[in-house]
Every structure is written in structure tokens, then in C-alpha cells.
Amino acid sequence: PGDRWPRPRHHALLSMAKIVCVSFVLLALLATSSHSFSLLPSPLLRPSADPFASTRCRTGGPRAAVVALRAQAGDQDVPEGFKAFEASEKSLDEWFETLKDSRSSIRSMASMKIAELHDKDGKGDEVIARLMKLLVLEDVHERRAAVQALGMMGVKVLPPLIDELLATDDRLVRASCSKAIGAVALKNPELLPDFPQSALDGMKKAILDIPDPVTKIATVSSLGQIGGGDTAHGYPGCERALDVLCE
């Protein structure tokens, strides 16, 4: 009479609990058994001689592209059921448009490709001039991408950068020119000991003659980059740049 649950229902609950416990035990045993079976030597589990066997699970998809790319890169035949990877190269105009991308990694790739392809058709001066026009942009990301592209092109960009640094009244452009000169030093550390004296003289003139503090700071920073070098990787700096700073 004092029992909370009627006896038949009490027995039913106990039976269900036992069934659940037995089920969990059986599942655990099955999991252990399948794991142990997977360790047994079997022709189906031995490594395949086919290097693409692990990825040939379906036709198409990301794995298919990777496998096809690896096959092509290694001068191997593309496995049956896969398509050959065909990379489509962008034009310079398309890479210039990519400088506007919101992703920094994509902008960096565009900068590298522009630097790589800028003189492909003998139009290097036109490409440099086109990048110089981007230094006036308010969009800091696209402007910085243009600065990096100029830096990767090496000492050939120094004369137009120095000319623009000393001629323009736009302090944003002046600062970008100075940073691009620093990027030349950063991207080409092997050139630092023989860094053009004309560029150093132009930077010195900018520091002394232009009162704008933004220009002075950017130019001093780039001179420090040129003079400091990349000692961590064995590239000494340009002592003449340090002499300019000391003066």
C-alpha cells in the first residue's frame, strides 16, 4: 500500500533498464571486435600499389582535382575517372582588378603576379606608371598592394618613386613613395650594399626640404630598412643609408 508505483509497472521499468544495459554492452563489444578485426592482415586492408587508390572513392570533387594536379605535376597519366587540371592564367588587367579584393592573401598574390608579369610584353614602364597612379587611392589595402608590387620589381622603380616623392604635394603619395622604396629594400635584400646613391640622396632631400612629419617618418623608416639590412638571413645593410640618418 505504501508503494509509489504499482508492481507491474515497476517490473516493466526494471526490464527496460536491463535491456538498455545489455544493448550498451553489446555495442561496446561490437566496437571492440571491429577494431580488432581491422588490425588483422587482410588483402582488403593492405596498402595498395596504386598511389591514387585512397582517393579514388568517387568521380569528381576536390580530391579528384588534387589527384589530377599531382599527376600532372609529376608528369604522370591522369587516373581514369579524373579530369586533368588546367590552370587559367589571368591577364595583367585582371590582376590589377584583383588588387581590390577584400582578402589580403589574394591581394598579395596579385602583387606578386603583377611584379612577375610586368615586363613580359616589354611594357614594364607602363605597368610601373599604372601602379604609381594607385598610390593616390584612399583605399589603404589596394594602395599597400600597389606598394608591395612596386617593391618586388627592384631598383628599376626607384627613379620614378624618388621623382614623385620630391615633386608631389600630396603627403599620402609622398609617404607611399617612401614606403615603396623601403619595400624595394625589404623584397631585395641582396641589393642593399649597392643601393643606388641617387635614391639615398633623394630621400635625404625629402627629409630636409619637406616639412610634413608624415613624409619624414616614412622616409626615415625606409632608410632604416635599407641601412639595417636582413642580418637574420645574412644580408648586410647599406652603411651609406645609415650615414644619411646620422647626418
Side-chain angles (χ1 to χ4, degrees):
D3 291 342
R4 185 176 178 181
W5 303 103
R7 188 170 298 275
R9 186 174 180 181
H10 181 67
H11 284 304
L13 290 173
L14 287 175
S15 299
M16 290 178 63
K18 290 179 181 179
I19 292 172
V20 171
C21 291
V22 171
S23 299
F24 276 117
V25 171
L26 289 175
L27 288 173
L29 289 174
L30 286 173
T32 305
S33 300
S34 63
H35 178 68
S36 61
F37 288 149
S38 66
L39 300 177
L40 295 176
S42 169
L44 296 177
L45 298 175
R46 289 172 188 157
S48 171
D50 183 356
F52 302 111
S54 62
T55 55
R56 192 180 285 115
C57 56
R58 63 182 183 276
T59 301
R63 286 190 175 183
V66 172
V67 169
L69 178 58
R70 288 176 177 173
Q72 190 180 55
D75 295 328
Q76 303 175 15
D77 294 332
V78 177
E80 184 180 355
F82 295 92
K83 293 182 179 180
F85 178 82
E86 297 180 358
S88 57
E89 181 60 84
K90 292 183 178 181
S91 65
L92 266 174
D93 289 338
E94 290 172 322
W95 284 120
F96 267 94
E97 284 297 313
T98 308
L99 291 177
K100 303 176 182 177
D101 198 280
S102 60
R103 295 162 292 182
S104 61
S105 59
I106 301 299
R107 294 194 303 273
S108 296
M109 181 185 298
S111 297
M112 289 188 289
K113 295 302 293 185
I114 290 172
E116 176 186 337
L117 301 172
H118 78 282
D119 209 18
K120 183 178 180 181
D121 299 323
K123 298 181 179 180
D125 291 341
E126 295 180 16
V127 175
I128 292 173
R130 188 172 176 180
L131 287 169
M132 295 283 293
K133 292 179 180 179
L134 300 183
L135 301 183
V136 303
L137 295 177
E138 291 294 334
D139 184 348
V140 63
H141 299 301
E142 188 175 357
R143 190 172 70 248
R144 285 176 179 172
V147 166
Q148 295 305 311
L150 288 167
M152 294 177 197
M153 294 180 187
V155 294
K156 67 171 66 176
V157 303
L158 293 177
L161 285 172
I162 292 295
D163 291 343
E164 189 67 17
L165 172 64
L166 298 176
T168 183
D169 293 327
D170 189 327
R171 68 175 185 174
L172 182 64
V173 175
R174 286 197 300 260
S176 295
C177 287
S178 292
K179 290 176 181 178
I181 296 170
V184 171
L186 181 65
K187 304 295 184 181
N188 306 275
E190 70 281 0
L191 304 177
L192 292 180
D194 299 319
F195 204 82
Q197 185 63 42
S198 58
L200 299 178
D201 292 340
M203 299 174 79
K204 178 180 178 180
K205 183 175 179 59
I207 294 173
L208 297 176
D209 296 350
I210 300 175
D212 173 40
V214 174
T215 301
K216 291 181 183 294
I217 292 172
T219 306
V220 167
S221 176
S222 292
L223 279 170
Q225 180 71 54
I226 298 167
D230 186 1
T231 54
H233 296 90
Y235 295 107
C238 178
E239 293 185 3
R240 290 172 289 119
L242 298 178
D243 292 338
V244 172
L245 289 175
C246 292
E247 293 174 2

